[in-house]
Amino acid sequence: MDGVGNQVAHGAEAQALNVVMLGPPGAGKGTQAQRLASGHGLPKISTGDILREAVQAGTEMGLAARVTMEAGNLIGDDVMIGIVTERLDRPDARVGFVLDGFPRTVVQAAALDGMVDGRGPLVVLDIVVPEDVLVRRLATRRICSKCGVNAVVEWTGNCQACGGTLVARIDDGVEIVRERLKVFLRQTKPLVDYYSTRSTFRSIDGNQPPDVVTAKIKSALDEAARSATL
Ligand code: AMP
């Protein structure tokens, strides 16, 4: 869900809460991004959800993205940077945002730095989970068959965005998951080096119950936000 409320006390753009969730597929980024976003009244921006919605809607971009997504590969940087630039330009993102699934390459990360320039610090939360746990988690993950949105752990029945039936993601099959993890190691893991020297970077152990991860994220976020204002 793309929440648009704004409960952030500081409305000025310079103090916006801009968050990036890093981590491999299955780390729990979507669930945690959703919790963080609703807790702070920020939009959760998931590039995977945006692409899946485009696939479901049969738009030109969706049709072009489908084969690449189902093979577990990444969509081109230009397309992704275009999507996120447009999304961050919308009024609800002025007070901040929680990005889930972007950036995934160093080129995207550099573009994001340009997009948030002058909009307050970027807090980067890296969720770390061992590979065998990821493969197991992805085997049981579900998305909505109607609107394509990623189901979060709280959803026990149908999709809470549109009421559609929840199904397994095509790209969560074991073979494709292995490919996606390889792509992650090759193209997205280098982002840890890209961000790790910043005072607003934090690593979180994601191999714990979701509520524990949420609590860890909360303190990491408070700490990172404090260090950004020092
Ligand atoms: P996700 O739901 O984040 O796992 O994304 C599902 C798929 O969408 C990925 O495996 C990629 O094919 C594509 N995708 C999502 N975000 C990006 C991105 N930032 N860059 C390139 N491809 C992406």
Side-chain angles (χ1 to χ4, degrees), residues 2-151:
D2 233 18
V4 290
N6 167 24
Q7 297 150 15
V8 178
H10 44 265
E13 285 189 7
Q15 295 169 303
L17 180 58
N18 306 316
V19 182
V20 164
M21 309 286 286
L22 275 189
K29 299 188 298 295
T31 299
Q32 297 299 336
Q34 184 59 55
R35 291 181 178 187
L36 194 56
S38 10
H40 288 265
L42 299 172
K44 172 205 168 202
I45 301 172
S46 157
T47 45
D49 282 353
I50 293 172
L51 290 167
R52 278 184 292 278
E53 281 160 23
V55 169
Q56 295 288 340
T59 66
E60 203 178 315
M61 191 253 290
L63 293 174
R66 183 175 192 155
V67 178
T68 307
M69 291 171 75
E70 289 182 358
N73 292 319
L74 295 187
I75 307 299
D77 286 331
D78 289 352
V79 172
M80 297 314 302
I81 291 166
I83 290 173
V84 175
T85 303
E86 185 274 325
R87 184 62 188 85
L88 295 190
D89 273 347
R90 292 202 219 153
D92 66 327
R94 288 216 188 100
V95 289
F97 51 79
V98 183
L99 270 173
D100 159 28
F102 184 96
R104 258 178 156 100
T105 65
V106 170
V107 171
Q108 293 179 14
L112 180 62
D113 280 338
M115 292 176 219
V116 298
D117 192 23
R119 293 172 61 148
L122 192 64
V123 176
V124 181
L125 304 173
D126 180 34
I127 308 191
V128 182
V129 176
E131 189 168 326
D132 56 322
V133 177
L134 297 172
V135 176
R136 250 183 289 133
R137 281 188 188 176
L138 291 171
T140 57
R141 181 161 78 172
R142 298 289 176 266
I143 60 161
C144 175
S145 57
K146 202 163 147 205
C147 71
V149 132
N150 231 341

